[in-house]
Amino acid sequence: MPKSIGILTSGGDSPGLNAAIRGIGKAAIGQHGMQVIGFRDGFRGLMESRLVRLDSSSLSGILTVGGTILGTSRDKPHRMPVGNKVMDMTDAMVDSYERQHLDALICLGGGGTQKNALRLQEKGLNILTLPKTIDNDVAMTDVTFGFDTALGIATEAIDRLHSTAHSHHRIIVVEVMGHRAGWLALGAGIAGGADVILIPEIPYDVEIVAEAVRRRSRRGRHFSIIAVAEGAMSRQEADSLRQAEAKAAKADGKKAKRKAKEATTALWAAHRGHTLRLAENIEALTGLESRLTILGHLQRGGTPSAADRLLATRLGAACANLVAEDVSGVMVAARGEGSEPVPLEDVAGKLKLVPLDHGWVQTARAVGTCLGD
Ligand code: F6P
C-alpha cells in the first residue's frame, strides 16, 4: 500500500509556505509514490476534514506564489472556537486523521504550531513539522523560512525611508514585526543602516534614544531612522511585564492563574500603539519632527525570496524522505546546508530570542548603532 500523508499550514502565513508544500508533495509523490492531501485553514480544516487532493498538477506553478494555497488560521486543537463555545477538539482531529487513513501529518508553522503538533503526536498520531515564520524565533533550527523574504522587504522599506527622512530633516520610526523576538528589526536595521534599533530583548531608555538622535544632529545629520520591533519595550514596561509573568508562572490555583494571566494580557494591550507614542516622545525630546511607518503585513506578503524558496523546498523534500523512513515526532530543522530531525519536545514551548552577545548585536554596536541601552 502506498503511504498517505496530510499537510496543513497553521499560524500567520509566511512566504515560502507554497514552496514547502510543493517540496513535500513532489518528493512524496515522485520519489516515494505516496498519496498527498492538504487540509484547509490549519487545524480547523483537519477537525472538519476539509481536504484538497494534492497531485502533480495542483503542486505545479505554486513555487513562487506568496501565502498558502491551503489557507491558514490561528486555531488551536485544544481551544477551538466552535459556535459560541471554546472546546477541546483534539479527539475530532484524531478521528479525522484516522478516517483518511493517514500515515503521517505534516504541520507547517511557527512556535504555536509546534506546540499544537506535539499535542497531536502525544495522542498517537505520526506528526512532522517544518519551521516557518517571518519572526525567525522557532527554537532548534538555524533559520525559519519566510524570514529572508521579510528581511528583504523591511530592509528595502528602510532604504526608501532614508531618502524622505533626509529630505525633510525628520526622524522616521519604522515598526517591524516581531513581538517577542527582534531578529527581523535587528537584521533589517543593520542591513538598512538604521541609526537606532530597538528590540524586545534589549529594553530601552527613551532618553538614550533621544540623545543618539541629538548627537547626530550636532554632527549635522538632521534626520534619523529608528527601527523598532513590535514588541520592543522601555525598561519600565519590560520590568512590569517580567514581574507579571513571574507572578503568573508562580500562581497557584485556577483563579490566581487566570488573574495573573489577565494582568500580562492587560500589559500587552496597553503596549499596543507604543511606536506612535515613541515617535511623539522623541519629537518632544529632540525638537525634530517625527513620523511613524508601520510595515505590518506587507512583510508577510508576496513572492518568497530565492533563499526562502530554496530553504522551504529542501526542508520539504527532506521531510518526505523522513516519512518514507517512518520517522515522526520531529521538526525538520535547517542545519547549515542540510537539515536535521529534532524531537518536537525539544522545540515546543521554546522561543529562539536574540542572544545579547549575538554577532548581529555586536555588529550593530560596532558600527555605532544605538540599541537604546
Ligand atoms: O507570524 C508572526 C507574526 O508575523 C508576528 O510578528 C506578528 O506580531 C503577528 O504575526 C501578527 O499576526 P496577525 O496576522 O494574526 O495579526
Side-chain angles (χ1 to χ4, degrees):
M1 274 287 279
K3 281 195 161 122
S4 269
I5 62 171
I7 306 177
L8 63 80
T9 55
S10 171
D13 71 343
S14 124
L17 277 169
N18 288 327
I21 294 168
R22 174 179 172 275
I24 300 166
K26 289 217 168 204
I29 297 166
Q31 281 203 303
H32 304 294
M34 297 178 194
Q35 286 171 356
V36 186
I37 58 171
F39 292 99
R40 295 195 187 275
D41 303 332
F43 292 102
R44 182 170 291 274
L46 171 62
M47 173 183 84
E48 294 170 352
S49 289
R50 278 193 283 128
L51 4 136
V52 48
R53 186 150 297 284
L54 296 174
D55 55 20
S56 307
S57 76
S58 54
L59 293 170
S60 152
I62 63 169
L63 175 65
T64 61
V65 179
T68 158
I69 57 163
L70 295 176
T72 187
S73 71
R74 291 198 182 271
D75 290 315
K76 302 176 178 77
H78 65 300
R79 292 193 58 219
M80 177 78 66
V82 183
N84 53 7
K85 288 196 184 131
V86 176
M87 295 168 68
D88 184 345
M89 299 305 288
T90 315
D91 288 341
M93 293 181 200
V94 173
D95 283 353
S96 170
Y97 175 102
E98 281 166 0
R99 268 201 312 280
Q100 299 309 321
H101 305 289
L102 293 181
D103 294 290
L105 173 68
I106 300 160
C107 306
L108 279 52
T113 303
Q114 309 300 328
K115 281 199 256 179
N116 294 325
L118 178 60
R119 280 190 189 102
L120 293 178
Q121 173 74 27
E122 285 168 349
K123 285 277 181 177
L125 308 190
N126 295 326
I127 306 286
L128 297 94
T129 67
L130 296 191
K132 146 284 19 183
T133 165
I134 65 162
D135 296 342
N136 195 31
D137 59 358
V138 176
M140 305 292 291
T141 181
D142 289 358
V143 68
T144 57
F145 58 84
F147 176 64
D148 181 75
T149 309
L151 186 63
I153 295 168
T155 301
E156 190 195 332
I158 293 175
D159 289 349
R160 289 178 182 275
L161 291 171
H162 257 105
S163 62
T164 173
H166 181 263
S167 308
H168 284 267
H169 319 295
R170 279 175 176 158
I171 298 164
I172 295 194
V173 173
V174 49
E175 183 186 303
V176 177
M177 273 190 172
H179 250 109
R180 293 283 185 170
W183 294 105
L184 197 51
L186 182 60
I190 295 172
D195 307 293
V196 178
I197 303 173
L198 305 177
I199 61 173
E201 294 86 343
I202 305 179
Y204 64 83
D205 179 334
V206 74
E207 239 318 313
I208 293 176
V209 177
E211 182 48 26
V213 170
R214 286 193 292 255
R215 211 167 34 239
R216 279 176 55 76
S217 254
R218 288 196 292 273
R219 279 197 248 119
R221 296 191 181 92
H222 302 292
F223 73 95
S224 286
I225 301 286
I226 305 182
V228 189
E230 270 178 312
M233 287 187 175
S234 67
R235 285 176 180 160
Q236 295 90 313
E237 285 176 302
D239 279 348
S240 311
L241 187 67
R242 210 172 299 137
Q243 280 166 20
E245 283 176 343
K247 214 168 160 189
K250 273 197 252 146
D252 213 9
K254 233 178 171 181
K255 202 169 157 202
K257 276 200 169 87
R258 203 189 52 232
K259 262 190 101 181
K261 179 106 203 300
E262 279 167 10
T264 58
T265 310
L267 286 172
W268 275 111
H271 183 255
R272 224 172 279 146
H274 74 109
T275 43
L276 182 58
R277 292 191 292 277
L278 177 69
E280 288 167 353
N281 275 343
I282 306 276
E283 180 170 299
L285 289 167
T286 61
L288 286 171
E289 201 178 21
S290 72
R291 291 287 187 271
L292 168 67
T293 300
I294 299 178
L295 299 183
H297 292 81
L298 273 178
Q299 296 159 103
R300 293 215 314 237
T303 189
S305 66
D308 273 338
R309 293 178 202 181
L310 179 59
L311 175 63
T313 304
R314 64 189 183 78
L315 294 186
C319 184
N321 294 341
L322 289 168
V323 175
E325 292 162 16
D326 294 320
V327 176
S328 69
V330 297
M331 177 184 81
V332 188
R335 200 65 79 232
E337 296 308 311
S339 66
E340 188 180 72
V342 293
L344 277 176
E345 292 88 349
D346 295 350
V347 182
K350 299 196 181 116
L351 267 182
K352 187 180 75 178
L353 301 179
V354 179
L356 298 183
D357 60 352
H358 191 270
W360 291 7
V361 173
Q362 291 172 5
T363 301
R365 294 195 196 281
V367 297
T369 310
C370 168
L371 298 183
D373 61 341

